[in-house]
Structure formats: C-alpha cells, structure tokens
Amino acid sequence: MSLEELQAKRAELKNNSSITLENMEKIANESSRVAYVAHNSRITLDNLNKEFERQTGLKGNDIIFLFVAVGLQLARIVILNEFTKTEKAGSGNRNEAKLHEFQKKLLERFNSGDSIKERPYFASLEHIITTKGVPYDATAPLTDKSLKILLERDRKWDFDLEPLISTDKIQLFKGANHRFITLGHDPILGLIFGTANIMTNTISCVKTPIVTGEIGIPALTTNHVVYTSDFKDPRIATYGFTAVMLQQAIKRTIDQPSAFVASLIKQIIHIGTDLYTPCGIQIPGANLILSNSEVEKLTRYISTGDMIKFGTSIKLAEFINMLISTLHTLMYNSSMSISREVYSVKTRKIIIYSNVIATGSNALWVGGNMMVGNEGTIKQLDIGGLLVIVKRLISDTEYIRQIKEEFVFGGFNKMIQGNGLDLEGTVWE
C-alpha cells in the first residue's frame, strides 16, 4: 500500500469515526428526550387533556348555535303541551271543534244528495256525513219507557222499533267508561270495528276476558243503535250478531265504497277528538287482555294520546338535533386550527347541552308545580325529550371519549416518536 493510499484510508477512518460519534450523540440526546417525556408523562397527558378541552370548548358561533338549539327545543315542548292539553269533551273543547269542522268540510264531498231510509245494519250516507257523533258513543238503552217518552216528543223512525226492544235489561257499561269496553274506541281495532259500527249503526263491545285469575278468550258482542229519522236520540237496542255486522259492512263497502271511506275518515277523526280528554283513549288491544276496570286504571297512567305525544316529541327533538348538527358542521372550514374530528365534538356538545337545558327546565317546572299540589302537570313532562337525552348521552359520550383518546394518546405518541433521528451514514470498506 502506497503512502497516498494509507493517508486516504486514515482520512476516511477519521471521517467515519466523527459521523459515528455524532450519531451516537444524537441517539443519546433522543434517549434523554424520550426519557424526559416518559418521566413527565402525567404532566404531559394532563396538558394534552387540557388542550383538548380548550379546543372543544364552546365559544363564539358555538354559543349562538347553543342558544338557538335550546330555543327550538323549548318551543317544541311548549307547543306540543299546548296541542295535547287535556280538555273536557264537548263544545268547549278547542281541538274537538277544529276536528269536527275539518270533518264537515271533508265529508261534504261525499254528499250525493240521495236520501235513503235507514234500517238495521244500515246507516245512510247522509247520516254518516252530516252528524258529528258515532253509534258506539251511545249510552242510553231503548226500552218501552224511553220509547214512550220519545213518542211523546213526536220523534219518528225509518223502521219498526218493536223487534229491537230488548225484554232484558241492557247494561253494557257505566257512564264514560264505555270507551274501555267498546271496540270502536280502540285506536287500531277501531279502524275495523268502529268503521263497521258507523256504517251499520251498531255498537261492538268486548266482555271482560279475565276469569278467576286466568286469561280467557274475549267475548265480542254487538248491539243495534237506533236513531230517529233526523239522526238524533241514539238508543242501544237489542243484541245483534258481530259476524253479520262485519258481513254487512263488507257488502256495503263493495256496493258503496264512498260509505266506507266516509266512515273511516269519521272514525279516525273521532279517535282524534277523544285522545286528549280526561278519560283518554286506551292503548291498542288493552281491553282484549285486561278487564274493563283495569283498562280504565291503566289509561290514567298511559294512553294512546300519551304514546302519540311521546313519539312526536322524540321525532321533533331528533329533527331539531339533526338540523342544528348539520348547520354547525357546515360552519367548519380547513383554515381552522382544529381538525374536523375535534370540531365534531363541539357539535355534539351543543346537542347534548341544549337537550339537557331544555328538558331539564321542563322537569324543574313540572316538579315545582307538583310540589304545590298541581299534580296534573305530570302529563306535561317531556318524556320524549328525556328518552332522546339518554340515547344521546350513550352514543355521544362514547364518541367524544374515543376522539379524546385519539387526541391525547395520539399527541403523546407523537411526542415520544419525535421528529426522527436523521442519522448520517458511514462508508466502510
């Protein structure tokens, strides 16, 4: 080996040794940095946690969205409670008056001008479309005594009543609890039996199915309901046959579809007029498995009107949440100092806070009124909103937790990894 080659080798060795020492120094420094980060991990994680809370805190436009969301949720509660306020049935009931007015305008379209006399199992179309009441609302029986009184008032009928006067005492129910025994007042079965009753001037009831603690088969009964020629003074007459009543309704539907449509509309509207009255409307099928008295007690706590209110409240609350969430999400742009995922946490906080504030305020108001003796306000409790809150707390809290973990532990991992060692390479031959 020549002197020049030896000098070159020496220079190369010196250069590589310097690079190795520099790399070793970088590794030592990085090790010290990682050790420092690991040693102060609690402080680092606390700082990252605080930074997450700072970035997801509500401020500026977020506060505006929060107030708007609270306002919309409160409006939902107030408006629903106003529309579903319990009122006595009759002329003073605002909802009933509006529904009957709507019924009148709607059913006028079916009026053909024909005047056909009524008969058993047949209600004239004129009767169906021009009167507010339904036959299964009748409560007074047809007796010799009541018939005599009506005759003294010059009442007239389209057919002979003699065969329809029962020799036995007819007592299907007591007072207003007729709603809990008549199938026409069932919100689902009434679409069949109530509509058929309207078409046939009948009243169908279900006998108490509970026998000595065992569940028996419900017994269905149908009675004729007799009206005067001017469609007044409905009286419950002798028993008919449920099968014949349904058969006649089907035949009438085939022969005169308009009678069926008008009767169905009248049935639906009638249920609507009874939903938010003191007696209420039973939940579907209740009187098929419970006794009449038990159905009445159950309806005091939960009725079809309550179920409709809860469902409507849930859907409206979710719609408002979706609307606010969508609009707030559209406010995000890439120039912001936070990621889209972190921004979405702010959106969900707005939804949760607004729901809790609105429904919580309602709960406090209801609780305050009940404490002073106004127990009826329990019906105005925003149960639908409470169910939405539970659902949002479960889903959104889990989502926020995941994003927070990614932010905190992801940031910690980046601090551990650093920016890379950027070591220089050496050449050995």
Side-chain angles (χ1 to χ4, degrees), residues 71-104:
L72 289 174
Q73 294 291 0
L74 286 173
R76 167 186 62 83
I77 296 171
V78 172
I79 293 172
L80 265 182
N81 281 337
E82 182 63 26
F83 274 104
T84 59
K85 184 184 296 183
T86 299
E87 296 181 284
K88 290 184 178 180
S91 57
N93 189 310
R94 295 171 298 170
N95 291 333
E96 183 175 339
K98 292 177 182 177
L99 286 172
H100 279 152
E101 183 63 27
F102 174 71
Q103 173 184 306
K104 180 180 178 182

Side-chain angles (χ1 to χ4, degrees), residues 359-419:
T359 302
S361 300
N362 168 260
L364 290 174
W365 180 82
V366 170
N369 276 272
M370 291 186 68
M371 288 179 64
V372 297
N374 191 2
E375 297 181 357
T377 54
I378 187 64
K379 287 283 188 177
Q380 298 188 37
L381 183 63
D382 183 28
I383 297 178
L386 288 171
L387 295 176
V388 171
I389 287 176
V390 172
K391 177 183 175 182
R392 298 295 308 199
L393 285 174
I394 293 174
S395 61
D396 289 353
T397 302
E398 177 62 20
Y399 177 84
I400 292 173
R401 183 190 64 78
Q402 292 177 359
I403 298 298
K404 186 174 183 178
E405 284 184 358
E406 291 176 8
F407 181 90
V408 174
F409 292 109
F412 184 75
N413 288 336
K414 288 181 180 178
M415 294 182 70
I416 291 289
Q417 293 172 7
N419 298 321

Side-chain angles (χ1 to χ4, degrees), residues 283-356:
I283 61 176
N287 57 6
L288 295 180
I289 57 176
L290 299 174
S291 67
N292 302 327
S293 59
E294 288 172 332
V295 174
E296 184 174 3
K297 292 176 182 177
L298 175 64
T299 307
R300 293 175 187 170
Y301 298 99
I302 178 71
S303 67
T304 295
D306 295 327
M307 294 174 65
I308 292 174
K309 180 180 178 180
F310 299 159
T312 304
S313 183
I314 289 172
K315 292 301 180 182
L316 286 176
E318 290 179 339
F319 174 76
I320 293 171
N321 290 340
M322 181 193 68
L323 178 64
I324 294 296
S325 178
T326 301
L327 294 176
H328 187 258
T329 301
L330 291 174
M331 296 292 291
Y332 177 82
N333 62 72
S334 56
S335 64
M336 291 182 174
S337 58
I338 61 176
S339 66
R340 184 177 291 275
E341 289 74 17
V342 173
Y343 183 84
S344 69
V345 172
K346 299 174 72 171
T347 303
R348 294 187 182 234
K349 282 186 175 182
I350 290 173
I351 299 303
I352 292 176
Y353 294 165
S354 63
N355 282 224
V356 169

Side-chain angles (χ1 to χ4, degrees), residues 159-265:
F159 52 89
D160 182 16
L161 301 186
E162 200 64 34
L164 298 181
I165 301 175
S166 177
T167 56
D168 301 321
K169 184 178 180 180
I170 298 176
Q171 188 172 6
L172 304 177
F173 40 74
K174 294 180 181 179
N177 70 0
H178 71 282
R179 292 190 188 179
F180 311 114
I181 190 174
T182 52
L183 287 171
H185 283 105
D186 186 289
I188 301 300
L189 295 175
L191 296 175
I192 299 173
F193 288 92
T195 303
N197 287 157
I198 294 171
M199 297 172 69
T200 58
N201 278 344
T202 54
I203 178 171
S204 295
C205 302
V206 56
K207 293 293 185 180
T208 304
I210 303 298
V211 181
T212 63
E214 298 181 359
I215 299 178
I217 299 175
L220 304 183
T221 64
T222 295
N223 288 70
H224 294 282
V225 177
V226 176
Y227 286 84
T228 57
S229 298
D230 55 355
F231 316 130
K232 295 180 180 179
D233 291 314
R235 298 280 172 162
I236 300 175
T238 188
Y239 286 97
F241 298 94
T242 303
V244 174
M245 179 270 295
L246 292 173
Q247 183 183 27
Q248 290 297 317
I250 293 172
K251 184 177 183 300
R252 179 82 177 278
T253 300
I254 296 172
D255 296 340
Q256 193 179 19
S258 58
F260 166 75
V261 175
S263 299
L264 179 61
I265 292 173

